[in-house]
């Protein structure tokens, strides 16, 4: 097998992985909406047998979904940056390289499925909304409520600020990858 054939197959594998993760991304976002709504509806209709709040639990699960969604987006972004750096930045006289990442996916900066503000206002806002509902309706100064509130606040900051900025902000560099020798050859 020629080196160029091997590298072409490897490139195809990376693109397939990106496409699978993009498909997974949209499924995760829709699952978050459905799961949070169903969980809240179920817990708010059942008589409370524990000190756990329907609002707080829905908020916690929303934030956990956000962690998975944002980590997946970070991986997609980093894989695209790897393709851009190691395949599209190659300059060989006899090989013309199609530059999808450079001329489309990352044209206006790093690849983003959502802008940070768009994600916060469109997807992430559900968790904080449930948290506000918890504070306004179910919060009492009891140990379980304080613990639930602390967990919600931690996940709110972790998923919204730290992971959101890390994976969606314009000026954030994707995970580091080393520059490889050219995967393309003119053989």
């Amino acid at each position: 097998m020629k080196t160029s054939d091997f590298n072409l197959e490897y490139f195809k594998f990376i693109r397939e992985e990106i496409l699978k993760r993009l498909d997974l991304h949209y499924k995760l976002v829709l699952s978050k909406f459905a799961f949070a709504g169903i969980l809240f509806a179920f817990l708010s209709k059942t008589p409370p047998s524990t000190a756990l709040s329907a609002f707080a639990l829905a908020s916690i699960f929303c934030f956990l979904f956000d962690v998975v969604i944002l980590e997946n987006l970070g991986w997609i972004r980093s894989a695209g940056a790897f393709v851009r750096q190691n395949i599209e930045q190659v300059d060989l006289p006899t090989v013309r390289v199609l530059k999808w990442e450079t001329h489309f996916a990352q044209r206006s900066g790093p690849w983003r499925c959502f802008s940070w503000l768009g994600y916060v206002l469109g997807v992430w806002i559900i968790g904080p909304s449930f948290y506000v509902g918890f504070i306004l309706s179910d919060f009492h100064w009891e140990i379980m409520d304080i613990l639930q509130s602390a967990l919600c606040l931690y996940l709110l900051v972790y998923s919204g600020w730290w992971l959101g900025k890390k994976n969606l902000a314009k000026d954030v560099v994707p995970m580091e990858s080393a520059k490889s020798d050219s995967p393309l050859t003119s053989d």
Side-chain angles (χ1 to χ4, degrees):
M1 175 184 270
K2 292 194 290 187
T3 305
S4 59
D5 293 339
F6 173 79
N7 287 318
L8 181 62
E9 289 303 313
Y10 199 74
F11 170 72
K12 286 180 187 177
F13 173 76
I14 294 170
R15 289 299 311 159
E16 285 175 18
E17 180 72 18
I18 291 171
L19 292 174
K20 286 178 190 175
R21 285 182 176 267
L22 282 170
D23 184 49
L24 176 65
H25 166 73
Y26 290 106
K27 289 177 182 175
L28 283 169
V29 170
L30 293 177
S31 297
K32 174 190 172 177
F33 295 153
F35 184 77
I38 291 167
L39 178 68
F40 179 74
F42 175 74
L43 291 175
S44 65
K45 296 295 180 192
T46 57
S49 58
T50 66
L52 299 175
S53 163
F55 281 110
L57 283 176
S59 178
I60 289 167
F61 278 102
C62 282
F63 291 135
L64 292 175
F65 264 101
D66 287 326
V67 169
V68 174
I69 291 167
L70 289 167
E71 288 292 340
N72 187 54
L73 284 176
W75 193 97
I76 294 168
R77 183 182 202 182
S78 297
F82 180 83
V83 168
R84 183 178 185 177
Q85 178 182 5
N86 290 299
I87 294 174
E88 295 182 359
Q89 300 289 323
V90 175
D91 206 14
L92 295 174
T94 60
V95 178
R96 183 162 182 241
V97 180
L98 179 66
K99 298 183 177 188
W100 169 265
E101 296 292 335
T102 304
H103 295 146
F104 181 71
Q106 298 182 41
R107 183 175 181 178
S108 61
W111 183 92
R112 293 181 314 280
C113 188
F114 288 107
S115 68
W116 183 75
L117 185 61
Y119 185 80
V120 166
L121 296 178
V123 177
W124 179 80
I125 195 74
I126 297 167
S129 299
F130 279 124
Y131 179 65
V132 169
F134 167 60
I135 296 299
L136 295 177
S137 67
D138 293 347
F139 187 82
H140 308 291
W141 287 98
E142 297 171 1
I143 190 71
M144 280 305 290
D145 287 349
I146 293 169
L147 291 174
Q148 289 176 86
S149 181
L151 181 59
C152 284
L153 278 174
Y154 168 75
L155 290 171
L156 182 144
V157 171
Y158 179 71
S159 68
W161 182 255
W162 192 77
L163 276 179
K165 287 299 245 181
K166 174 185 166 203
N167 290 315
L168 298 175
K170 282 184 185 177
D171 56 346
V172 175
V173 177
M175 290 184 279
E176 289 186 32
S177 63
K179 178 85 168 131
S180 302
D181 291 335
S182 172
L184 303 173
T185 61
S186 54
D187 53 28

